[in-house]
Amino acid sequence: MGEENRTYTQEEVNELIEAYERQNAELTGRAEAAEKASAKTRIQTDFISKAITAGIKYVDDAYKLADLSELQVTKTEIYGMDDAVKRLAVERPYLLHEEETKKARRTQRSIGGPTNNSK
């Protein structure tokens, strides 16, 4: 007689349900951990790309110092990275390549300072 015709007791059914629920919880936990790891890798990759484009020389240090708390991360997009990199470059210009630091200094104006630099 095959398994398809077998009759299960309520206790056996309960054991099968518990085993299924344990396995489901374990697999769900693994999937969530994999999603978090994937999101972290995507954030790091996006940061590195945008930091290099922005002229940041010390990318690893910059990543550690960056405030990425405002990022919105979906399965396909990361929103707010451009702003985070720009803010970091302004707040910590020593992370930039020398020429980028000079550009940042030239474009910064003090409050109440001259607005016409053609003189």
Side-chain angles (χ1 to χ4, degrees):
M1 199 155 116
E3 276 291 313
E4 67 273 357
N5 294 329
R6 183 170 184 265
T7 304
Y8 292 90
T9 65
Q10 186 62 44
E11 185 177 315
E12 290 173 320
V13 170
N14 290 342
E15 288 174 7
L16 289 170
I17 290 171
E18 287 175 15
Y20 166 79
E21 288 173 348
R22 279 193 306 273
Q23 184 179 26
N24 188 38
E26 179 185 340
L27 293 175
T28 299
R30 285 185 188 178
E32 289 171 356
E35 280 184 38
K36 285 180 184 178
S38 173
K40 183 178 179 183
T41 301
R42 287 177 39 229
I43 289 169
Q44 287 175 326
T45 303
D46 194 38
F47 179 86
I48 290 168
S49 172
K50 292 194 168 139
I52 290 170
T53 301
I56 292 178
K57 183 176 183 179
Y58 304 103
V59 177
D60 292 335
D61 294 335
Y63 182 75
K64 292 174 186 172
L65 294 170
D67 178 9
L68 304 177
S69 62
E70 299 293 321
L71 296 181
Q72 299 293 321
V73 182
T74 67
K75 290 191 184 270
T76 58
E77 298 291 329
I78 300 173
Y79 299 100
M81 186 65 77
D82 289 328
D83 293 335
V85 170
K86 287 176 189 174
R87 187 172 46 251
L88 183 67
V90 169
E91 292 173 357
R92 300 177 189 270
Y94 56 86
L95 295 170
L96 299 170
H97 286 282
E98 191 171 317
E99 23 335 309
E100 295 298 324
T101 303
K102 289 177 184 175
K103 280 185 207 173
R105 284 188 192 137
R106 275 184 267 153
T107 59
Q108 290 179 346
R109 294 187 184 101
S110 60
I111 296 176
T115 57
N116 185 354
N117 292 332
S118 64
K119 294 179 182 181

